[in-house]
Amino acid sequence: KKTHILFLSLLFVFSISVQLSAQWVEQTSGVTGALQSISAVDNNVCWIGGAAGVVLRTTNGGTNWTNVGGGAIGTANAIYTIYAWDANNAICSTSPATGAFVFRTTDAGATWVQVFTQTGGFLNAIWMTSATNGFMCGDPVGGRWSFVRTTDSGVTWDSTGLFVPQAGTEAGWNNALYMAGSNIYVGTNNTRVYYSSNNGVSWA
């Protein structure tokens, strides 16, 4: 019994120790606008997209953040989704009233290039499954969901074979996208989740 009590006591102390070390630490972004989307590459590298074309980037776990937005992205529109796969490569989207625009950087945000446009669209999420292959989802346009793929690191995007009809007036939610291998999950505003087990070839 004494051994059992000692074991439980040590377990309790260890549990408290783990809980105390797993704290949240507030960090200073350096901006005052809303921050809409985040993409963590690892424990050190993280990118954030926000209002007024802001893109924040850290390479030291959030100790310091640098605003690497602007440029071709501009400062008039918010970034609603961003995805990065290393310290230099990231893709983000803005969706002003005229449509959706996607921008890509390969030099840590020093320069941005527009790689996609959709008139009347609104892109909710981007996910890269590798350095070359990725998927975007956006609100339906003309009764069709905006599902788009890339196989060249976001240089070009194609919706061929990704026809999914809109149900009623449903739309998507910002960042409501998850991918694991060939499995894709997309969330909507009318209680539905769209699911593909074959990289978008068919949907349920």
Side-chain angles (χ1 to χ4, degrees), residues 15-199:
S15 176
I16 293 296
S17 175
V18 169
Q19 290 178 24
L20 289 175
S21 64
Q23 298 179 36
W24 289 90
V25 179
E26 183 177 350
Q27 298 180 338
T28 302
S29 68
V31 298
T32 57
L35 300 175
Q36 314 277 8
S37 180
I38 188 168
S39 180
V41 175
D42 54 35
N43 287 341
N44 293 309
V45 179
C46 185
W47 299 66
I48 297 176
V54 164
V55 176
L56 301 178
R57 173 179 171 272
T58 182
T59 58
N60 57 12
T63 301
N64 304 106
W65 293 90
T66 304
N67 188 349
V68 295
I73 298 174
T75 58
N77 302 295
I79 293 170
Y80 291 102
T81 183
I82 189 168
Y83 194 96
W85 55 99
D86 59 36
N88 296 308
N89 291 274
I91 295 176
C92 66
S93 173
T94 65
S95 296
T98 55
F101 302 90
V102 176
F103 299 89
R104 175 177 178 263
T105 183
T106 59
D107 55 12
T111 57
W112 293 88
V113 177
Q114 186 175 327
V115 292
F116 181 82
T117 305
Q118 184 186 42
T119 302
F122 185 98
L123 293 171
N124 294 301
I126 302 170
W127 195 286
M128 298 294 292
T129 56
S130 69
T132 54
N133 298 316
F135 183 83
M136 287 192 302
C137 66
D139 291 348
V141 174
R144 171 186 179 177
W145 273 94
S146 299
F147 291 165
V148 197
R149 271 192 298 239
T150 183
T151 56
D152 57 9
S153 303
V155 176
T156 59
W157 295 84
D158 184 23
S159 62
T160 302
L162 295 172
F163 181 80
V164 179
Q166 178 184 21
T169 60
E170 72 182 355
W173 285 113
N174 292 359
N175 304 298
L177 166 66
Y178 182 80
M179 295 186 69
S182 59
N183 297 289
I184 308 173
Y185 302 85
V186 177
T188 76
N189 67 346
N190 72 345
T191 75
R192 293 176 183 230
V193 174
Y194 285 96
Y195 168 66
S196 174
S197 61
N198 48 22
N199 204 35

